[in-house]
Amino acid sequence: RVLGIRHYTQLVPLNGGEGKSLPSGPEFDGVAQIDFDSIEIVTSGHRSEEARAALRQLALDEATFIDTAKSVRWWARSVKIL
């Protein structure tokens, strides 16, 4: 909670786990979606020691399963259509 994370969702391929998207798309083995309480919380620099400690722990965990050389990260906002 200290990082303002509301939801953490993993999306994994349904095609037997090969990690292939459309024929022209990149290979991948999943997509992670993190929803925050607000963008202000995320961009505030996480100034508390508790938040910095949580970020260090998160980075250590991510290093065990994320190929950062092939990963893409971006900010987005949800627009509910249906």
Side-chain angles (χ1 to χ4, degrees):
R1 278 315 275 161
V2 69
L3 297 177
I5 296 173
R6 182 180 300 151
H7 299 284
Y8 174 74
T9 306
Q10 291 184 349
L11 306 170
V12 296
L14 294 176
N15 57 348
E18 297 92 39
K20 301 273 186 190
S21 60
L22 296 175
S24 63
E27 290 187 17
F28 66 93
D29 62 359
V31 174
Q33 175 181 326
I34 303 174
D35 298 325
F36 294 92
D37 290 334
S38 74
I39 191 67
E40 292 78 20
I41 291 173
V42 177
T43 58
S44 68
H46 300 293
R47 293 180 181 96
S48 76
E49 180 53 40
E50 186 180 22
R52 287 192 299 271
L55 284 171
R56 285 191 298 271
Q57 185 60 45
L58 181 62
L60 288 172
D61 183 50
E62 287 178 342
T64 65
F65 63 92
I66 295 177
D67 183 350
T68 56
K70 294 182 180 178
S71 296
V72 178
R73 296 178 186 211
W74 69 92
W75 296 107
R77 65 180 174 86
S78 295
V79 178
K80 190 168 187 172
I81 305 300
L82 294 174

